Amino acid sequence: MNSAEIRQQFLDFFASKQHQVVPSAPIVVKDDPTLMFINSGMAPFKDYFLGNKPAPYKRIADTQKCLRVSGKHNDLEEVGYDTYHHTMFEMLGNWSFGDYFKKDALEWSWELLTQVYKLPKDRLYVSVFQGDKSENLPMDQDAYDIWKSMIAEDRILMGSKKDNFWEMGDTGPCGPCSEIHVDLRTDEERAQVDGKTLVNNDHPQVVEIWNNVFMEFNRLADGSLVKLPAQHVDTGMGFERLCMAIQGKRSNYDTDVFQPLIQYVAKEAGVTYGENEKTDIAIRVISDHIRAIAFTIADGQLPSNNKAGYVIRRILRRAVRYGFTFLDFKKPFLYKLTEVLAEQTAHVFPELKQQLGFVQRVIEEEENAFLRTLENGLKRLDALEDKFKQNGNVIDGKNAFELYDTFGFPLDLTALIAREKGFTVDEAGFATEMEQQKNRSRNASATEQSDWVILKPDVTTEFVGYDCNVVDSHIVRYRQVKGKNKSEYQIVLDRTPFYAESGGQVGDTGYLISDSEQVEVLDTKKENDLILHITAKLPQNVEAGFSSEIDIERRNYIRKNHSATHLLHAALRKVLGEHVQQKGSLVNEKVLRFDFSHFAKVEEAQLREIEHIVNERVRQSIPLEEQRNMPIAEAKDMGATALFGEKYGEYVRVIAFDREHSVELCGGTHVYNTGEIGYFKIVSESSVAAGVRRIEAITAKAAEEFVQAQLDELHAVREVLNTQSNVSGAVEKLQEDNKALQKQLEQFELKQLSSLKDALAKNAQQLDGINLVAEKVDVSSSDYLKKLAFDMRQVVDNLVLVLAAEIDGKPQIAVMLSDNLVQDKNMNASQMVRELAKEIKGGGGGQPFYATAGGKDAAGLNAVPGKAVELVKQMIKA
């Protein structure tokens, strides 16, 4: 049975048990500050477990893309070395929200594994929670009794809180769980060692494949447990491990999930997979990592130096350096794998194939950039060789960490290169530097949240901000959040006009006003489906009634910019082509920023056309057409643009300004007709990443002020040029005059340089057959200093030339030697200039016959000629 059939049988089985099969959520998380990526099958359903919103179905089944590379679930460094850890993986799951509980969940899991998938019962073990006295939690007798009716009791194992009590995080829903493990060892191995002794002991062939979690409790911030109002089931089965078990393999990487990728990499590298441990590990790393890289980019997360983007860049660089070090890939290669992966997953995750060209372009550019970084890191190692030799052939921890932090060199790569050079690495020192960085990061980002104080249980927030700017509200819940040097409150209301930051649009600000006080709302954010009103203080009477009032002037500017973004998107697609897809946006009261897929700079003429189209739509005063709660299939049929990486429900909001031109799925706030935008002006176009461009623009008052500022500047230029009409002609005349003067000045300087050369040649000192010229000179540029040195070389034999000059306020030194002195006397200009550079607190280098140096202390130039004489005398004596 191939992997596609295994996945489909799971979904079909639970569909037959009245589960609604839903698609995978994007792997990149938005609107949840606690997660960067979906790291478990339950993550997309957190709101249902937390009670923030009702579940659309009582029973759900799915396969969810997950990523585990940071935080509590960090498998990155194990990936490739063992057979069953991955960065990106699929989690098959079935869910019950207040419907069935332990009996159905466990019986169905057993039925699917043993009757549908035909896994041998004598290879399966199950575990149940043994209880925990410190938490006053009893043994899960119910789960034990259910299993006892299906499996021999000696195959039911007791599990500790660590293994059999599942928790979402430090706080939140949790409960006992029951795991199913499979023993994939040979019969001979099983006869020698009882499989039950290997469960949860990191044995590569005795692995957990399914976990049934029974959500019964909520963990509070003080560590206590309270019963949830309803009981839920949360299950997760590792798809890759399941395929290993069903296909009779001893490694996830031997299944058809990975083999197409593995064989492609092996062919590209010219090696055979399975013959060499080092190349096998590298191939596994690459085959695993490309899945994480490709799907996160397809879901909207570009590699970068911050947060989630940094995680993706780190995974990509890990894959590149394994290929670089062990497979001799010195040119980009990862991007080629995406085509294999896209074809393999098109039936279940079509988003990758739909964006294949874009994803490939991003990955290839990232590979090129990192290969250049690797080269620079190797140069850095070469430059520090002398220092390491003086340090007993040891690369100290600080420099090893610099290579890691700045150049992306993991410790094992630095150690590998060090061994080739006969060095060792101070690994303890590296570990100290790493820990210090982690502490700095933890201290900078650490926050402490109190438990929610719930005033109105089971009350959810009604957002009325599309229709109202002011509304009567009551506080439903609140909590305090403490961070570094900051304390704030997060308040949830029963009704609110405040738009929470989402989809690129910033959150509203405003006030909560009661009879006795006014509390400023500093920002509005979304945590899953909760709308959080951020305040610096808590109202004195939290049970009072409030008038919730947004800053309407600020909101109006935001609305204008957001609607202009939609018009810009449509204009870009019309001018540049249908390949243009939104890749990010920022909409606030001052500016709109729009990132989009395009592989070339947008030309000036194209920008003018785009700007003209948008302003034409503005002048037409096109009315807003808004459709709320439209079935998503119907929205797509009418041509609504859906964004890759966004999670949409069954019902969506559609925003249209003339259906022929601009129809998008959008939850933001908008003008009622395009005429409100007033005027649209593009202020910049730039590159963000490979294949991604960015346009920044302004509207309304900001655009008017921008144009007026440009006119004021033009007026000032006219005043300076003393012309009121042909400004460009006057500027061209000024440039021509400047060129003519520059040419005259250059001829004058060259004449002076020739005179200086003659004077220096006459003043050469005779030292044992060497003609030494060591002088401080006055030249206007580094180019002239170099020309003077090479001209002197043509007219003076046996020359040692040392020139010191202050150029643009900075000290510079040049050393020139005749070829015969380099060859016969073993003199070296590079060594000389490094010694002389100490006088100006600088450094330099170059070739044996010519070298230069710069520094910080121009006052030291006066000492350079004298020191040059002493150096030459020492060389003669030697």
Side-chain angles (χ1 to χ4, degrees), residues 136-160:
N136 198 27
L137 292 169
M139 169 198 166
D140 191 350
Q141 189 66 49
D142 290 342
Y144 188 91
D145 290 341
I146 294 165
W147 279 125
K148 190 169 65 172
S149 68
M150 296 183 287
I151 191 173
E153 284 191 71
D154 65 348
R155 292 184 169 273
I156 306 174
L157 310 178
M158 293 294 106
S160 65

Side-chain angles (χ1 to χ4, degrees), residues 198-432:
L198 302 176
V199 168
N200 278 330
N201 278 312
D202 295 325
H203 193 286
Q205 271 80 54
V206 183
V207 294
E208 172 199 340
I209 53 172
W210 205 340
N211 193 9
N212 286 270
V213 180
F214 309 118
M215 297 286 197
E216 298 182 62
F217 304 100
N218 187 30
R219 174 79 69 183
L220 302 181
D222 63 7
S224 61
L225 293 171
V226 296
K227 272 279 190 180
L228 289 171
Q231 296 176 324
H232 312 291
V233 171
D234 155 23
T235 85
M237 178 153 57
F239 174 64
E240 294 80 8
R241 295 184 184 185
L242 178 64
C243 289
M244 174 174 66
I246 293 174
Q247 294 179 1
K249 306 296 184 181
R250 293 174 66 84
S251 164
N252 290 359
Y253 293 99
D254 292 338
T255 68
D256 68 330
V257 177
F258 288 98
Q259 276 300 303
L261 294 167
I262 283 172
Q263 295 306 325
Y264 187 94
V265 176
K267 184 178 179 182
E268 285 284 302
V271 300
T272 301
Y273 181 70
E275 289 188 350
N276 179 284
E277 184 181 7
K278 287 185 178 179
T279 57
D280 284 356
I281 290 172
I283 292 171
R284 288 198 293 267
V285 167
I286 292 164
S287 300
D288 170 273
H289 286 10
I290 190 59
R291 287 158 40 98
I293 297 160
F295 281 114
T296 47
I297 293 173
D299 277 350
Q301 181 57 64
L302 295 174
S304 69
N305 285 330
N306 297 303
K307 298 181 180 178
Y310 176 71
V311 173
I312 301 310
R313 178 165 282 169
R314 183 179 168 215
I315 295 172
L316 188 149
R317 290 184 166 190
R318 186 173 189 259
V320 171
R321 64 100 176 171
Y322 267 90
F324 181 90
T325 304
F326 300 105
L327 300 175
D328 200 33
F329 286 142
K330 299 299 188 281
K331 293 181 180 179
F333 64 94
L334 275 178
Y335 76 96
K336 299 176 184 177
L337 283 169
T338 54
E339 188 166 359
V340 179
L341 182 61
E343 289 298 328
Q344 201 178 343
T345 58
H347 63 288
V348 62
F349 305 128
E351 57 273 17
L352 179 55
K353 189 170 184 179
Q354 291 167 1
Q355 301 181 85
L356 183 59
F358 170 73
V359 173
Q360 286 183 321
R361 184 71 174 264
V362 172
I363 294 173
E364 184 179 11
E365 285 297 316
E366 281 290 317
E367 288 187 87
N368 273 317
F370 183 49
L371 287 169
R372 287 193 295 270
T373 301
L374 275 175
E375 186 178 347
N376 291 334
L378 292 170
K379 288 178 180 176
R380 174 68 174 159
L381 271 172
D382 290 341
L384 292 170
E385 270 199 40
D386 290 342
K387 178 181 177 180
F388 299 149
K389 287 176 181 175
Q390 293 168 9
N391 194 37
N393 289 336
V394 175
I395 299 177
D396 60 278
K398 190 171 184 179
N399 276 293
F401 184 75
E402 181 201 9
L403 287 164
Y404 166 80
D405 199 37
T406 305
F407 299 100
F409 276 41
L411 183 61
D412 56 353
L413 180 58
T414 302
L416 180 69
I417 297 168
R419 281 196 300 273
E420 292 172 354
K421 294 177 176 288
F423 297 155
T424 58
V425 180
D426 176 12
E427 296 191 12
F430 175 89
T432 299

Side-chain angles (χ1 to χ4, degrees), residues 785-786 812-815 829-830 833-834 837 843-847 850-854:
L785 185 66
K786 182 177 181 180
Q812 293 194 30
I813 301 170
V815 176
S830 187
V833 86
R834 279 199 287 266
Q847 297 169 284
Y850 179 67
T852 59

Side-chain angles (χ1 to χ4, degrees), residues 14 87 94 162 169 220 301 330 385 495 577 693 759 769 776:
F14 281 102
T87 48
N94 57 290
K162 173 179 175 291
L220 302 181
Q301 181 57 64
K330 299 299 188 281
E385 270 199 40
R495 301 178 74 225
R693 307 296 297 182
K776 185 179 178 185

Side-chain angles (χ1 to χ4, degrees), residues 720-739:
V720 171
L721 296 174
N722 194 26
T723 182
Q724 293 301 312
S725 55
N726 189 8
V727 176
S728 60
V731 171
E732 286 177 7
K733 176 70 166 57
L734 195 65
Q735 288 175 326
E736 288 172 3
D737 292 345
N738 185 57
K739 283 180 182 178

Side-chain angles (χ1 to χ4, degrees), residues 497-722:
F498 288 81
Y499 181 84
E501 179 181 331
S502 182
Q505 179 176 327
V506 297
D508 280 328
T509 58
Y511 296 92
L512 303 180
I513 303 171
S514 70
D515 293 337
S516 59
E517 64 179 322
Q518 176 175 289
V519 176
E520 184 178 5
V521 177
L522 305 172
D523 198 359
T524 312
K525 293 188 178 294
K526 186 180 285 188
E527 182 173 309
N528 299 302
D529 265 33
L530 288 180
I531 296 175
L532 308 178
H533 304 76
I534 313 299
T535 65
K537 66 175 185 177
L538 192 66
Q540 294 173 358
N541 181 6
V542 294
E543 296 186 352
F546 294 89
S547 175
S548 300
E549 303 182 6
I550 64 171
D551 181 339
I552 185 59
E553 183 179 9
R554 179 174 179 269
R555 162 75 83 82
N556 281 337
Y557 286 127
I558 294 170
R559 291 191 307 123
K560 296 176 199 297
N561 283 337
H562 198 156
S563 296
T565 302
H566 283 222
L567 300 181
L568 171 61
H569 190 186
L572 284 165
R573 289 173 67 85
K574 182 174 182 180
V575 173
L576 301 180
E578 293 297 311
H579 66 278
V580 168
Q581 296 284 345
Q582 181 177 336
K583 292 300 174 186
S585 69
L586 169 69
V587 177
N588 60 29
E589 70 276 21
K590 297 177 181 177
V591 68
L592 64 93
R593 190 178 75 201
F594 190 78
D595 298 343
F596 57 98
S597 54
H598 188 58
F599 297 121
K601 177 179 172 61
V602 184
E603 300 299 331
E604 192 64 36
Q606 293 174 316
L607 289 173
R608 283 199 298 272
E609 185 179 358
I610 291 162
E611 194 173 83
H612 171 74
I613 291 171
V614 174
N615 280 312
E616 187 68 29
R617 301 280 181 263
V618 171
R619 288 189 290 273
Q620 290 169 354
S621 294
I622 302 168
L624 167 69
E625 184 181 347
E626 178 194 22
Q627 299 279 346
R628 299 181 194 172
N629 298 315
M630 176 180 281
I632 190 167
E634 188 178 327
K636 289 181 178 179
D637 286 343
M638 69 180 285
T641 302
L643 304 182
F644 288 109
E646 287 291 337
K647 181 183 177 184
Y648 297 105
E650 283 191 75
Y651 295 90
V652 293
R653 178 169 176 255
V654 179
I655 296 296
F657 292 105
D658 184 349
R659 290 196 181 193
E660 183 182 345
H661 301 293
S662 175
V663 185
E664 297 192 27
L665 304 184
C666 180
T669 59
H670 288 274
V671 298
Y672 295 109
N673 78 76
T674 59
E676 294 180 46
I677 295 170
Y679 181 58
F680 171 86
K681 182 65 185 171
I682 294 173
V683 295
S684 70
E685 189 274 346
S686 60
S687 172
V688 179
V692 181
R693 307 296 297 182
R694 170 174 292 171
I695 281 180
E696 290 196 11
I698 47 180
T699 66
K701 183 180 177 183
E704 180 185 340
E705 290 173 347
F706 176 84
V707 171
Q708 187 58 54
Q710 298 294 306
L711 291 173
D712 290 344
E713 189 172 341
L714 179 60
H715 178 72
V717 171
R718 281 175 169 160
E719 290 287 320
V720 171
L721 296 174
N722 194 26

